[in-house]
Amino acid sequence: MRVLVVTAVPVERDAVTRAFGGAPESVALPGAEVHRCGAFDVLAGGAGPAAAAAATAFALASASRPPGAPASGPYGLVVSAGIGGAFTPLTPLGSLVVASGIVAADLGAETRDGFLPVTALGFGRDRFTPPPALVRDVAAAAGAAAGPVLTVSTVTGTAERAAGLLAAHPGALAEAMEGFGVAEAADRAGVPVLELRAVSNAVGPRDRDAWRIGDALAALTDAFGKTAPVLEGWNRHDH
């Protein structure tokens, strides 16, 4: 089965491809470049849900015959991957999180009574649920925690905002900026989606000196080294 892995930036893409060893084949797409590693195509789609959705949708639409490459068949799974912030101490720095729910945490409207999600406004959706059996298997293989991962368009920078997100989404383990966009595109193409994050920082007051980006990228490489057989061998019809 072919797997599309969508990261935000090239450093995350490269961390994923290192898990497979050797030099990846580069396949050019308009506005992007896919690194092909056997059954895995790894794409740096851009930061934020809009860029992630657009890049994922284009890659999925181009799957049968990317420009300049032979036809290789459609994708059976899409993975949103990268680093992210975590609601510590539930998920410490350098640990891994697999999303049991991919949640658009700031898609909706502010009112005098507080935030209303888009679903409360009577349209749209604010959550995607990855296949539970796949979440369980990947978490076990990677030694990761499983729980909701929030997608935000603005990275949290205060303790008050972090507390508000946790109050609205009890049990949330992490936040990032691309998962919901990737999931939206995958869902419209009828392809299952997963989100895997390595923790680089705590959600809350912004303190770049405390971030552990190098450790998180190393954890991301290790995670794909451990989970590649699970991802490649997964069959949605067996679960």
Side-chain angles (χ1 to χ4, degrees):
M1 181 181 71
R2 292 181 66 211
V3 180
L4 175 64
V5 182
V6 184
T7 70
V9 294
V11 69
E12 294 171 324
R13 177 199 62 201
D14 295 345
V16 173
T17 58
R18 277 195 295 273
F20 307 113
E25 174 191 0
S26 294
V27 178
L29 297 176
E33 181 181 71
V34 168
H35 285 191
R36 180 161 295 163
C37 309
F40 292 83
D41 284 358
V42 190
L43 169 68
T56 302
F58 195 93
L60 288 169
S62 305
S64 295
R65 191 179 295 275
S72 51
Y75 295 107
L77 178 67
V78 178
V79 182
S80 176
I83 63 177
F87 294 97
T88 54
L90 297 175
T91 41
L93 302 189
S95 64
L96 296 162
V97 175
V98 181
S100 61
I102 301 173
V103 183
D106 55 8
L107 181 62
E110 291 288 350
T111 75
R112 67 182 64 186
D113 298 317
F115 177 77
L116 289 178
V118 67
T119 51
L121 302 177
F123 56 89
R125 63 186 300 175
D126 62 359
R127 174 184 293 265
F128 289 94
T129 302
L134 181 60
V135 171
R136 181 192 64 235
D137 292 348
V138 169
V149 175
L150 309 184
T151 298
V152 295
S153 295
T154 301
V155 174
T156 300
T158 67
E160 292 76 15
R161 176 60 175 159
L165 286 173
L166 272 180
H169 306 282
L173 295 184
E175 74 167 25
M177 299 181 72
E178 293 79 33
F180 191 82
V182 173
E184 188 78 76
D187 181 74
R188 293 186 182 213
V191 182
V193 67
L194 187 77
E195 184 170 8
L196 176 61
R197 294 284 165 184
V199 177
S200 59
N201 58 280
V203 176
R206 192 169 175 82
D207 180 8
R208 288 296 299 267
D209 292 337
W211 290 12
R212 298 292 180 266
I213 292 177
D215 292 342
L217 292 172
L220 192 63
T221 301
D222 185 63
F224 274 87
K226 292 177 177 177
T227 63
V230 177
L231 297 172
E232 185 178 357
W234 182 72
N235 186 331
R236 64 194 296 182
H237 302 296
D238 292 340
H239 299 270

